[in-house]
Amino acid sequence: MARLFDVLPGQEVPVGGIWSGFKKLWADSPAKENRAVQLNLVLHLGANTKPTDAQVQFENTLKFAQRYPCRVVVLCPDFDDKAPAEIRAKIYGECFLGKSKNDTRCVEIVLLHYTMKVREHLENQVSVCLSTDMPLYYWGHQFSSAKRLSDYDYLLTQSQRILFDSAIAPADTFTFPWPNQSAVRDLAYTRTLPLRQNLGQFLSRYSPDAISGGLKKVTIRHREQFSAEAACLLGWVKKGLVRSGVNVSQVQFVVVPEKCPGCFAMEFGYDAKNKKKIFCWSADLSKDRAKFTGDLGTGKTTLDAAAHFLAPEQALAEAMFF
C-alpha cells in the first residue's frame, strides 16, 4: 500500500511539519488571504485500492473541491506485517476560480501513509489535521472488510456522513453494526439520482391507484456492471410502492443482468383484469437517452428523456449533503 502514497501528488513533509509546510506552500499564493474551507473529508483508501484507482479518486476529490472548499485527509494504510513502524506525510494545495474573480475555492490535502504498528496513534494524527470547527465526512473506498473499520471508531462516530460504494464494497458492509446507521450513505444509490428523478416525474402523472392496481411484477434489466445501481433502484421502487399502499409481498420483483453496452430498463406487469396497462422505461446510458411508454388507464403516453448517472464528484456531494 505504500505505492498509493508514492503515486499520489504532494510534497513530502515531516509529520510534525504539516502546518508549517502549508504555511510555506500558501506564502506566495494569491489566495493566501481567502482560502476558507467549508468541511473536512477523510478519504480512506482500503486494501483493495490500486494505484491507478487512487489517482482517479484523488482527481474526483479535486473536482468536488471546486464546488465545496475542503480540507481532506487521505489515509494510505500499509498492511505489510514486516513494514517498519512509521507515519509519513505529504501535503497538497490547490485553488480554483469560482463564479467571479473574488470567488476562490481551495482544497488542502494531507496524505498519511501509516503501518499497522502505529495504527493506535493514527486518530490523534488525523484529528490534528482536521479543522475542528468544520463538519467531518468519512469516505471508505475499496475496503476489504467492514469489520476492519471497527478500528476507526473516531471517524465512524464523529462523521456527519459515512460514505461507501456498494458496487465495490464487501458483503459484510450490509450487516456491519454501524455506530450511526442514519449517517451511512451508498454512492451507488446517489449515482442513480437522475434516473430516479426522471422515473418519479413520469410516474407522478398517474394516481397511486392507477400504478398499483393489479400490479403483479416489476422487472429491472441492466448491464452486468450496473448490478449495485439496479439493486438500489429496486429498493427505491419498493419503497415508492409501499407508500402507494401496495403489498409488495404479493408482487414479483425480478432483476436481470444483460450483456449490453449501457442498458437499463424497468417494466411493470399487471394481472388479467388490468392487462391493457403498460409502463416501460428503457434507457441507454452510453448514449444518455431513454424512452418512456405508459398507459395506466388515461391513454398511451410516450416520452424521450436523458438517462445518465451522476458524475463521481456530484455523487459525493449528493451523499454528503442530502
Side-chain angles (χ1 to χ4, degrees), residues 46-174:
N48 293 332
T49 310
K50 304 300 182 185
T52 53
D53 183 25
Q55 291 172 315
V56 169
Q57 304 317 319
F58 191 92
E59 289 299 319
N60 289 336
T61 302
L62 290 180
K63 291 176 183 177
F64 170 81
Q66 290 185 38
R67 295 186 62 183
Y68 304 97
C70 53
R71 179 168 295 157
V72 181
V73 178
V74 181
L75 301 182
C76 304
D78 187 338
F79 297 100
D80 186 355
D81 293 335
K82 297 180 181 180
E86 67 173 7
I87 298 180
R88 295 167 58 194
K90 278 183 181 179
I91 60 171
Y92 180 94
E94 187 171 350
C95 290
F96 313 90
L97 188 63
K99 297 180 180 180
S100 68
K101 292 182 178 180
N102 296 324
D103 182 14
T104 304
R105 290 100 183 269
C106 297
V107 58
E108 294 180 340
I109 300 179
V110 179
L111 300 98
L112 295 176
H113 162 72
Y114 62 96
T115 60
M116 294 300 102
K117 293 176 182 178
V118 295
R119 164 64 195 86
E120 61 182 305
H121 304 295
L122 184 67
E123 287 186 1
N124 288 338
Q125 187 57 55
V126 171
S127 63
V128 169
C129 295
L130 300 176
S131 178
T132 56
D133 57 343
M134 296 295 170
L136 172 62
Y137 299 86
Y138 173 69
W139 173 16
H141 178 73
Q142 287 281 17
F143 49 94
S144 60
S145 168
K147 185 178 180 180
R148 300 189 74 159
L149 297 181
S150 299
D151 293 337
Y152 300 85
D153 185 67
Y154 167 77
L155 296 171
L156 297 182
T157 57
Q158 299 301 313
S159 298
Q160 292 200 8
R161 290 287 187 271
I162 300 166
L163 314 181
F164 75 97
D165 190 334
S166 60
I168 54 176
D172 67 340
T173 302
F174 303 95

Side-chain angles (χ1 to χ4, degrees), residues 175-248:
T175 57
F176 181 72
W178 299 99
N180 183 6
Q181 183 66 49
S182 63
V184 179
R185 296 291 186 274
D186 182 358
L187 291 171
Y189 180 80
T190 58
R191 277 197 297 276
T192 65
L193 177 64
L195 307 184
R196 290 182 279 115
Q197 287 177 328
N198 284 344
L199 284 162
Q201 288 171 1
F202 186 85
L203 288 170
S204 67
R205 67 188 62 198
Y206 303 105
S207 69
D209 289 341
I211 296 171
S212 61
L215 180 65
K216 301 299 292 183
K217 186 176 182 179
V218 175
T219 302
I220 294 180
R221 302 181 186 277
H222 65 91
R223 181 183 176 184
E224 290 177 319
Q225 290 90 331
F226 299 156
S227 58
E229 291 83 359
C232 292
L233 199 61
L234 181 65
W236 174 79
V237 171
K238 284 183 177 180
K239 288 182 180 179
L241 292 175
V242 169
R243 288 195 297 268
S244 298
V246 176
N247 183 352
V248 293

